[in-house]
Amino acid sequence: MPLSNNTVSSRIDEMSCDVEVQLVEKLKYTNFSIQLDESTVRDSEALLMAYVRYVDNGEFIEDMLFCEALETTTIAIDIYKKLKTYLDDKQIPMENIISCAADGAPVMMGKKNGVLKLLKDDNPQMLLVHCVIHRQNLVSKKVSPVLNETLNAVIKCINTIKANAKFDGKALVSYLADIFEKLNVLNKELQGTNMTLVNSKAKIFGFISFLELSQENISVKKFEQFYWLNKCEGTDATCLVIVEHLKIMVSDFNFRFSDLKEINYPSWMTQPLLVDLSDVTMEYQGELSELQNDDSIIALFKIKGTMMWLCEETQAKYPNTSSLARKLLLPFPSSYLVECGFSAVNDLLLKKRNRLDITKRGDLRLKLTKFLPRIKSLCSRHQAQGSD
């Protein structure tokens, strides 16, 4: 049966409203983490987007909470009020938010008046997370003057590099190609769904360890860890430049991720079957001693790893350890999902030729949501129009 454009739009909005109701009902009664970001689209229209993550049926559920227009300014108090108003209108307790992630913009991360500071004033137990991808990108951009000169020369003209013999330009270019490739790999590893601060921390500090080892190797002209550099003959001056850059990167990584390093994840959370129970606080010894002899949980851990703590069976049998593990696994490590969400916004606006009111229509939510509209329930609200 053909439908008018208005009818189709109305149906889209109804389905969007239905999936939003389903999400809100979940968030009213469970802990969740949130990530926030604001962006500007057509005609300088400022949008605020929020994503949430919670546990349901033994898995992380990640979904867009809202996309709202910032009608006046984009200062911290406006962003905070927009989120607070939404939560109040939907009767979602602020106390249910256990963590909030955002990029490093002052409006978000400002220590005195940033959005996350205002949220933490409302909920002091909330963990604040500076996006690990944003911080890693900041480290990537920091190069020494010599390497920066080399990089700029590459961008302008490769012949400039060849002419710069005094710093063995070919070796420096090769090193830059290698190190940026490794940084890009790290960046991709920090992206994606279901990422946690636990595995983000492992990847970040594993990379720092690699950089420290690379310093030692390159100082004695061992280049095997760098594909293109290994094809060059590095001079003492070249090795000195590279080692100094590696030192700068290690220092910058450690500085920018000092807060992440201070978060101590209990060893029993990642290795519950191997941990020495004498090293575990007494509060969790009883449950873990039983867990280490529970064949069904052992089998579950072998399949799901640390995500075992999200399963209902584990929660039912070992509530204390599961509650803490879930609290540590739930926080977003980055603002990756809202960045993807804004890409979807741009895609929709392009296809709709900029006419779509993205914040008031249901297209965006239906594009991004994991929920399925309850079609039977929606259909029951409409009376069929019979013919005479």
Side-chain angles (χ1 to χ4, degrees), residues 352-364:
K352 299 288 184 177
R353 297 180 182 176
N354 283 343
R355 293 174 297 178
L356 180 67
D357 189 339
I358 201 76
T359 63
K360 291 184 169 54
R361 303 305 303 274
D363 301 62
L364 180 64

Side-chain angles (χ1 to χ4, degrees), residues 158-178:
I158 193 66
N159 291 329
T160 304
I161 301 301
K162 293 179 178 179
N164 190 6
K166 67 176 182 178
F167 279 116
D168 190 10
K170 182 179 179 181
L172 292 180
V173 171
S174 298
Y175 164 72
L176 287 170
D178 287 327

Side-chain angles (χ1 to χ4, degrees), residues 139-295:
V139 176
S140 302
K141 294 176 181 178
K142 193 169 185 178
V143 295
S144 65
V146 173
L147 287 172
N148 188 58
E149 179 184 353
T150 302
L151 186 58
N152 289 333
V154 169
I155 295 172
K156 292 177 180 178
C157 181
I158 193 66
N159 291 329
T160 304
I161 301 301
K162 293 179 178 179
N164 190 6
K166 67 176 182 178
F167 279 116
D168 190 10
K170 182 179 179 181
L172 292 180
V173 171
S174 298
Y175 164 72
L176 287 170
D178 287 327
I179 197 65
F180 281 121
E181 180 183 4
K182 294 181 185 300
L183 286 166
N184 287 337
V185 170
L186 175 62
N187 186 277
K188 290 180 181 179
E189 290 176 342
L190 296 174
Q191 298 177 23
T193 60
N194 292 338
M195 283 294 295
T196 67
L197 276 174
V198 178
N199 45 31
S200 293
K201 179 179 180 180
K203 292 183 183 300
I204 290 291
F205 288 95
F207 191 77
I208 292 174
S209 296
F210 164 76
L211 295 178
E212 291 172 335
L213 289 172
S214 298
Q215 289 180 46
E216 298 178 11
N217 292 331
I218 289 182
S219 64
V220 292
K221 297 186 179 181
K222 293 182 178 179
F223 304 146
E224 287 83 355
Q225 293 167 305
F226 295 85
Y227 178 80
W228 294 108
L229 181 60
N230 195 39
K231 298 179 180 293
C232 303
E233 292 185 8
T235 64
D236 291 341
T238 297
C239 292
L240 180 62
V241 169
I242 294 173
V243 169
E244 286 302 312
H245 178 241
L246 291 171
K247 288 181 179 178
I248 291 171
M249 291 184 67
V250 168
S251 176
D252 207 11
F253 264 113
N254 282 320
F255 171 73
R256 295 187 185 278
F257 290 95
S258 58
D259 59 330
L260 187 57
K261 190 172 186 178
E262 292 174 359
I263 301 178
N264 293 317
Y265 296 102
S267 55
W268 58 258
M269 189 179 76
T270 54
Q271 292 295 338
L273 307 181
L274 301 178
V275 67
D276 186 343
L277 294 181
S278 63
D279 297 330
V280 177
T281 57
M282 293 184 65
E283 181 181 0
Y284 304 108
Q285 283 181 351
E287 288 189 354
L288 288 170
S289 62
E290 182 179 342
L291 184 150
Q292 288 184 344
N293 294 280
D294 187 331
D295 289 339

Side-chain angles (χ1 to χ4, degrees), residues 328-359:
L328 295 173
L329 289 170
L330 198 55
F332 283 114
S334 72
S335 55
Y336 168 79
L337 291 176
V338 286
E339 296 294 342
C340 293
F342 281 124
S343 294
V345 168
N346 291 327
D347 182 56
L348 279 173
L349 292 179
L350 182 63
K351 290 182 178 178
K352 299 288 184 177
R353 297 180 182 176
N354 283 343
R355 293 174 297 178
L356 180 67
D357 189 339
I358 201 76
T359 63

Side-chain angles (χ1 to χ4, degrees), residues 4-212:
S4 68
N5 288 340
N6 288 341
T7 301
V8 172
S9 296
S10 176
R11 298 293 187 266
I12 289 174
D13 293 343
E14 286 186 66
M15 290 188 289
S16 173
C17 181
D18 179 68
V19 298
E20 182 181 16
V21 168
Q22 293 182 61
L23 175 61
V24 167
E25 286 303 309
K26 293 284 187 182
L27 301 181
K28 286 181 179 179
Y29 307 106
T30 189
N31 289 337
F32 62 94
S33 59
I34 190 169
Q35 56 178 262
L36 294 171
D37 197 11
E38 55 92 15
S39 184
T40 302
V41 291
R42 60 185 176 186
D43 300 325
S44 299
E45 180 182 359
L47 300 180
L48 174 67
M49 187 178 293
Y51 255 82
V52 293
R53 170 195 277 174
Y54 62 95
V55 178
D56 190 45
N57 292 325
E59 296 181 350
F60 280 144
I61 306 297
E62 300 171 337
D63 217 304
M64 187 189 78
L65 181 61
F66 66 75
C67 181
E68 298 276 353
L70 294 167
E71 296 87 357
T72 55
T73 64
T74 58
I75 61 175
I77 190 63
D78 293 326
I79 295 174
Y80 164 78
K81 286 181 178 179
K82 185 67 69 172
L83 174 61
K84 185 72 164 56
T85 299
Y86 183 91
L87 295 176
D88 290 344
D89 288 347
K90 304 299 182 182
Q91 298 180 329
I92 301 173
M94 179 73 75
E95 293 73 21
N96 286 4
I97 305 177
I98 68 165
S99 74
C100 184
D103 65 18
V107 68
M108 289 291 184
M109 297 296 297
K111 294 183 178 180
K112 293 184 178 180
N113 299 307
V115 176
L116 271 60
K117 170 62 168 58
L118 296 174
L119 291 174
K120 193 171 180 65
D121 288 342
D122 281 347
N123 181 2
Q125 302 303 315
M126 187 186 301
L127 175 67
L128 307 183
V129 180
H130 180 181
C131 174
V132 296
I133 298 174
H134 180 260
R135 285 189 274 183
Q136 189 258 341
N137 284 333
L138 292 176
V139 176
S140 302
K141 294 176 181 178
K142 193 169 185 178
V143 295
S144 65
V146 173
L147 287 172
N148 188 58
E149 179 184 353
T150 302
L151 186 58
N152 289 333
V154 169
I155 295 172
K156 292 177 180 178
C157 181
I158 193 66
N159 291 329
T160 304
I161 301 301
K162 293 179 178 179
N164 190 6
K166 67 176 182 178
F167 279 116
D168 190 10
K170 182 179 179 181
L172 292 180
V173 171
S174 298
Y175 164 72
L176 287 170
D178 287 327
I179 197 65
F180 281 121
E181 180 183 4
K182 294 181 185 300
L183 286 166
N184 287 337
V185 170
L186 175 62
N187 186 277
K188 290 180 181 179
E189 290 176 342
L190 296 174
Q191 298 177 23
T193 60
N194 292 338
M195 283 294 295
T196 67
L197 276 174
V198 178
N199 45 31
S200 293
K201 179 179 180 180
K203 292 183 183 300
I204 290 291
F205 288 95
F207 191 77
I208 292 174
S209 296
F210 164 76
L211 295 178
E212 291 172 335

